[in-house]
Amino acid sequence: MKVVLAYSGGLDTTVCIFLLRERYGFDEVITATVDIGLPESELRRAEERGKRYADRHYTIDARKEFLEAIHRLIKANGDYEGYVLGTAIARPIIAEKVAEVAISEKADAVAHGCTGKGNDQLRFENVFRQYNFRVVAPVRELNLTREWEIEYARQHGIEVPATKERPYSVDENLWSRSIEGGNLENPAFIPPEEIYEWTTSPEKAPERPEVIKISFEKGVPVAVNDRELEPFELVRFLNEIGGRHGIGRTDMIEDRVLGLKARENYEHPAATILITAHRDLERLVLSRRELKFKKIVEEEWAELVYYGLTNDPLYEALNAFIDKTQERVTGWVKLRLYKGSVMPVARGSEFALYSEELVSFDTKAIDQKLSEGFAAFHGLQGRIYQRLKRERL
Ligand code: ARG
């Protein structure tokens, strides 16, 4: 019996390799690590561990697919309740790649290391079940705790990244880094600086602000400071600059799909910079009504992504709308980065619906007197109501 395990090299999935043999009786455990823009060292560590502990290991490059997902997300200004979707956009891609391995290996089952409390089980399985695979989820099925897993690893001499002192569950990809668990589960506890790896604390960030320019073409970032960059490099570069300025930390209470509230900590410097810039450019080029309606679409979009329901036909329909709006989201935005904050300070576009000629205090292109009639009608019903209220209520 053969199983393919979605493998990150972390505590859960490493312990799973052993449990799949010991508790489920699989005689062949194959690990598959999917590269969604992991730091090189992380990827090598997962690969090394997979090769050491599993019967066979695959490392699959899905950076291209992941970048497409990031571009989709930027166009949709994707965030769920204030969480810049990161893990959520990676999961379906990882699941697809793992399923492909399982198909070519003619495996009897696929496995993941998700708990029964989070969202990731839902995101993985929605893809796995599409292929009618038997799904094995040891952490959920055996009702394991991180503490138990750390102890199990110790007893069996298995090398894992988590320790009793630092039991954090970390998930990272090119777009964001998420840290959960241990004392962070107490929402009243202020996280120690040690949980952050991508960002310096705003206090320690440079004393001088830095202004950067981001250029977009049809909603997709293409250049920084007028230098065209490969999509991958562009995100990496902004993670670095933003991280240096302490930009893109989130500490929040989040509503999981199951209904559980969770305390979440994230780092995502490039995401914060790019979405802030993209939103600003949209305000310049989209109409008032487009902006208002797109907000509703974005909320629906983010929820589908968060829930792992991107196979729903609604997702395609929303993307079609978003892509239509992005045809004119071409231009640039300058942002000031300073001690954890990112602030748009200038912008420009050939598609701007802005007219300096019309709006300026100093021009006469519009005869101001024309507005007098508008002002006479504006708020009419409210004025009538206020009078009625005074006289009749
Ligand atoms: N709350 C995020 C989500 O549901 C991240 C979950 C994974 N994070 C982790 N540290 N294991 O998308």
Side-chain angles (χ1 to χ4, degrees), residues 201-383:
S201 72
E203 300 94 285
K204 292 204 180 118
E207 292 301 324
R208 284 172 152 278
E210 183 172 348
V211 173
I212 58 166
K213 179 180 176 189
I214 316 270
S215 307
F216 290 87
E217 244 163 60
K218 293 193 195 316
V220 172
V222 291
V224 178
N225 296 335
D226 292 319
R227 199 155 59 90
E228 270 185 41
L229 291 171
E230 286 299 316
F232 203 83
E233 277 319 304
L234 186 142
V235 177
R236 267 223 175 125
F237 183 58
L238 291 177
N239 270 334
E240 204 184 292
I241 305 182
R244 210 183 319 129
H245 286 280
I247 287 161
R249 287 184 177 184
T250 303
D251 185 325
M252 67 180 290
I253 302 294
E254 179 179 302
D255 291 293
R256 290 186 184 161
V257 180
L258 292 179
L260 291 165
K261 283 192 185 290
R263 195 282 181 86
E264 300 282 348
N265 287 278
Y266 302 108
E267 305 182 90
H268 39 77
T272 298
I273 292 172
L274 287 169
I275 292 177
T276 304
H278 180 259
R279 278 207 175 106
D280 188 75
L281 183 57
E282 284 191 325
R283 299 208 66 79
L284 183 67
V285 301
L286 298 188
S287 75
R288 178 203 296 202
R289 287 181 202 286
E290 279 182 298
L291 287 167
K292 189 173 159 199
F293 190 70
K294 185 162 182 280
K295 229 165 141 177
I296 301 170
V297 171
E298 285 173 5
E299 184 145 340
E300 213 52 48
W301 186 96
E303 196 169 294
L304 284 179
V305 171
Y306 187 79
Y307 279 52
L309 296 176
T310 51
N311 57 348
D312 196 288
L314 177 61
Y315 184 65
E316 286 177 19
L318 298 180
N319 282 324
F321 168 80
I322 291 171
D323 281 339
K324 181 70 192 161
T325 64
Q326 299 303 294
E327 284 175 358
R328 289 169 287 127
V329 185
T330 295
W332 57 268
V333 177
K334 286 186 182 170
L335 307 134
R336 184 191 288 125
L337 315 182
Y338 183 61
K339 290 200 176 285
S341 79
V342 45
M343 191 169 147
V345 287
R347 70 285 288 158
S349 167
E350 57 188 307
F351 296 109
L353 297 182
Y354 175 90
S355 164
E356 188 170 354
E357 177 71 6
L358 294 182
V359 78
S360 170
F361 290 119
D362 303 317
T363 56
K364 288 191 162 187
I366 277 186
D367 181 356
Q368 295 185 49
K369 282 225 296 289
L370 288 175
S371 296
E372 212 178 293
F374 193 122
F377 285 97
H378 190 62
L380 183 63
Q381 297 186 352
R383 291 200 295 276

Side-chain angles (χ1 to χ4, degrees), residues 108-119:
D108 302 285
V110 288
H112 64 69
C114 307
T115 72
K117 296 184 178 180
N119 304 314

